[in-house]
Amino acid sequence: MSELDEPEIAQVTLPGVLHALSDPTRLAVVAQLARAQEMSCGNLEVAVAKSTLSQHLRVLREAGVTHTRPDGNQRWLSIRRDDLDQAFPGLLDSVLGALTPSDT
């Protein structure tokens, strides 16, 4: 697998990040990643088809919310926590802190 395109932090915008976090499935993915630090795509607990999950993961990656690390035939996901905290201090903590158990 080749390296996936991810925006430089200077290209990450607040509207893009907020859009990526506005979907319940994507928000659930981010919440799981926040708890686990890093997860393989296959271990995410979401109630959508694989193709739909792939599209959600693409939106998160292209918005600059997540980092995808290819490793053999697996892809490992993590939140770009340091970058997001630098660009938008407190945003991720506020969003994750507002979640209820039914949101994840």
Side-chain angles (χ1 to χ4, degrees), residues 9 79-88 92:
I9 191 59
I79 297 174
R80 293 177 63 179
R81 173 66 99 156
D82 292 340
D83 289 341
L84 291 172
D85 285 346
Q86 178 183 346
F88 312 110
L92 199 54

Side-chain angles (χ1 to χ4, degrees), residues 18-28 56:
L18 292 174
H19 168 73
L21 297 175
S22 69
D23 182 87
T25 298
R26 293 191 294 263
L27 198 52
H56 285 300

Side-chain angles (χ1 to χ4, degrees), residues 44-96:
L44 291 169
E45 294 182 20
V46 291
V48 296
K50 281 185 178 184
S51 60
T52 303
L53 177 59
S54 292
Q55 293 302 314
H56 285 300
L57 297 179
R58 180 187 54 80
V59 170
L60 288 168
R61 185 182 72 248
E62 290 178 353
V65 175
T66 60
H67 169 70
T68 304
R69 179 178 62 85
D71 182 25
N73 64 352
Q74 291 190 350
R75 292 184 180 188
W76 292 85
L77 303 170
S78 59
I79 297 174
R80 293 177 63 179
R81 173 66 99 156
D82 292 340
D83 289 341
L84 291 172
D85 285 346
Q86 178 183 346
F88 312 110
L91 175 67
L92 199 54
D93 288 333
S94 294
V95 169
L96 293 172

